C-alpha cells in the first residue's frame, strides 16, 4: 500500500511540466508589489518547492536592490533643522540679523529758576518812612490802582476808623510830572456828604474831600480815589502823597503817607 502511494507520487512528479511563462508572470507581479509597498510578497498559497525557491530568490534580490538604492540616494539627517532663510529688507546677509537701534531717550529740560513765592504782604501797600498811617481810631494806606495804564492812572486812599467821625478832610496831592490833568473822583461814602474840589497848587494837582457840617462818617473801611491823565509812559508816584484829618468824640487825629503800586 505504501509502496503504491510512493510510486504514484514519483510518477506524478516526473510527469509534471512547469509552466515557465506563468512562473515569470508571477515573479514580475511579486516584484511590482515589492516596489509599491517596500516589503516582500506574502505567499498565501502553497506551491511546489521549485516555485517557492524562485519567488524567494527574486524577492530577496528586489528587496536588497531597493534597500541599497534608498541608502545611496538619501541624505543623512542634519543635527538640527535649518529654518528657510528670508531676504533681509535692508539688503544685509540673511545670516547676520540687523542690529536693533535703541529708542531715543527723552531729553531732560534744563532746570529753570524756581518760581518766586509771593510775599504775604505783597497785596498790602507799604507806607514810606516819612508817613504816619495810624493814629487814634484811624488807619490808612495809599496805593496806585493796578488798572492804571501808560497814559491814565488812579490813586486810592483807604481809610479805616474804629469810631464815628464828625469831621473829616481827605487831601490827595498828585505831583505834576507832565501832562497830569484831572479826569474825575469817587468815594464809597455818599457823594452828598462831601464837598469836592480839584485845583493845581505848588506844582501838584490837589484833590480834597471835606465832610459837610452835620454829617457823620460811620465806623468801618472807606475808599477815596483821584483819577488823572499823564504823559504817555510809566509814571512815578514817588512825589505823590495824601493826608487825612479827622475829629471823633472829643479828640482829633491825623494820618498821612505816600502811594505805592498795588500788586
Amino acid at each position: 500500500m505504501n509502496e503504491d502511494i510512493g510510486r504514484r507520487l514519483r510518477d506524478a512528479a516526473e510527469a509534471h511540466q512547469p509552466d515557465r511563462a506563468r512562473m515569470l508572470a508571477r515573479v514580475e507581479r511579486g516584484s511590482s508589489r515589492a516596489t509599491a509597498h517596500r516589503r516582500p510578497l506574502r505567499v498565501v498559497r502553497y506551491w511546489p518547492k521549485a516555485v517557492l525557491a524562485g519567488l524567494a530568490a527574486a524577492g530577496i534580490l528586489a528587496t536588497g536592490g531597493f534597500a541599497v538604492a534608498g541608502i545611496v540616494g538619501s541624505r543623512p539627517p542634519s543635527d538640527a533643522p535649518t529654518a528657510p532663510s528670508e531676504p533681509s529688507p535692508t539688503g544685509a546677509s540673511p545670516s547676520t540679523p540687523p542690529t536693533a537701534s535703541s529708542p531715543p531717550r527723552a531729553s531732560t529740560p534744563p532746570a529753570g529758576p524756581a518760581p518766586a513765592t509771593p510775599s504775604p504782604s505783597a497785596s498790602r501797600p507799604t507806607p514810606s518812612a516819612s508817613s504816619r498811617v495810624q493814629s487814634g481810631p484811624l488807619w490808612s494806606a495809599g496805593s496806585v490802582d493796578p488798572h492804571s495804564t501808560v497814559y491814565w492812572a488812579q490813586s486810592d486812599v483807604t481809610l479805616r476808623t474804629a469810631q464815628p467821625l464828625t469831621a473829616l478832610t481827605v487831601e490827595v496831592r498828585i505831583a505834576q510830572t507832565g501832562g497830569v490833568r484831572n479826569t474825575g473822583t469817587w468815594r464809597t461814602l455818599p457823594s452828598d456828604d462831601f464837598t469836592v474840589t480839584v485845583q493845581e497848587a505848588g506844582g501838584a494837582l490837589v484833590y480834597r474831600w471835606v465832610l459837610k457840617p452835620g454829617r457823620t462818617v460811620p465806623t468801618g473801611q472807606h475808599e477815596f480815589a483821584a483819577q488823572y491823565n499823564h504823559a504817555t509812559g510809566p509814571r512815578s508816584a514817588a512825589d505823590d502823597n495824601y493826608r487825612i484829618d479827622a475829629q471823633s468824640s472829643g479828640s482829633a487825629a491825623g494820618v498821612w503817607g505816600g502811594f505805592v503800586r498795588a500788586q
Side-chain angles (χ1 to χ4, degrees):
M1 184 65 180
N2 293 334
E3 293 179 1
D4 185 57
I5 293 173
R7 182 179 56 79
R8 290 182 181 183
L9 290 175
R10 285 193 299 272
D11 292 341
E14 292 174 358
H16 175 72
Q17 297 293 330
D19 190 344
R20 180 179 179 79
R22 188 174 181 180
M23 291 175 62
L24 290 177
R26 289 182 178 276
V27 170
E28 289 178 1
R29 285 198 299 271
S31 300
S32 62
R33 289 177 183 177
T35 303
H37 300 287
R38 296 190 178 184
R39 60 183 183 180
L41 179 66
R42 292 183 60 186
V43 179
V44 297
R45 298 181 59 183
Y46 293 99
W47 296 90
K49 293 181 179 180
V51 175
L52 293 178
L55 289 176
I60 291 171
L61 292 176
T63 304
F66 285 119
V68 172
I71 293 173
V72 173
S74 62
R75 296 178 59 187
S78 59
D79 294 338
T82 303
S85 61
E86 296 182 358
S88 172
T90 58
S93 174
S95 60
T96 304
T99 303
S101 60
S102 60
R105 297 179 57 185
S107 59
T108 303
T117 304
S119 171
S121 60
S123 60
R124 183 172 179 177
T126 302
S128 63
S130 61
S131 63
R132 186 175 76 177
V133 298
Q134 188 171 359
S135 177
L138 303 181
W139 177 91
S140 64
S143 64
V144 178
D145 194 274
H147 297 95
S148 300
T149 67
V150 294
Y151 58 86
W152 176 90
Q154 174 177 300
S155 296
D156 300 330
V157 175
T158 302
L159 169 64
R160 189 180 304 159
T161 176
Q163 296 177 3
L165 303 177
T166 57
L168 176 65
T169 299
V170 178
E171 184 178 279
V172 173
R173 298 178 67 88
I174 304 300
Q176 184 56 259
T177 55
V180 175
R181 295 191 303 272
N182 171 44
T183 59
T185 65
W186 64 267
R187 81 232 41 89
T188 56
L189 292 168
S191 59
D192 293 340
D193 290 353
F194 291 87
T195 300
V196 182
T197 60
V198 181
Q199 60 184 2
E200 289 194 17
L205 193 61
V206 181
Y207 297 78
R208 186 177 288 114
W209 294 263
V210 179
L211 184 66
K212 294 178 179 180
R215 308 298 174 90
T216 303
V217 175
T219 58
Q221 182 170 303
H222 312 289
E223 301 286 338
F224 297 84
Q227 299 172 333
Y228 50 92
N229 286 339
H230 58 78
T232 304
R235 180 184 179 276
S236 172
D239 296 330
D240 300 344
N241 57 75
Y242 70 90
R243 181 181 177 92
I244 300 174
D245 294 297
Q247 181 76 38
S248 62
S249 58
S251 63
V255 289
W256 59 85
F259 294 89
V260 297
R261 185 166 295 276
Q263 301 297 322

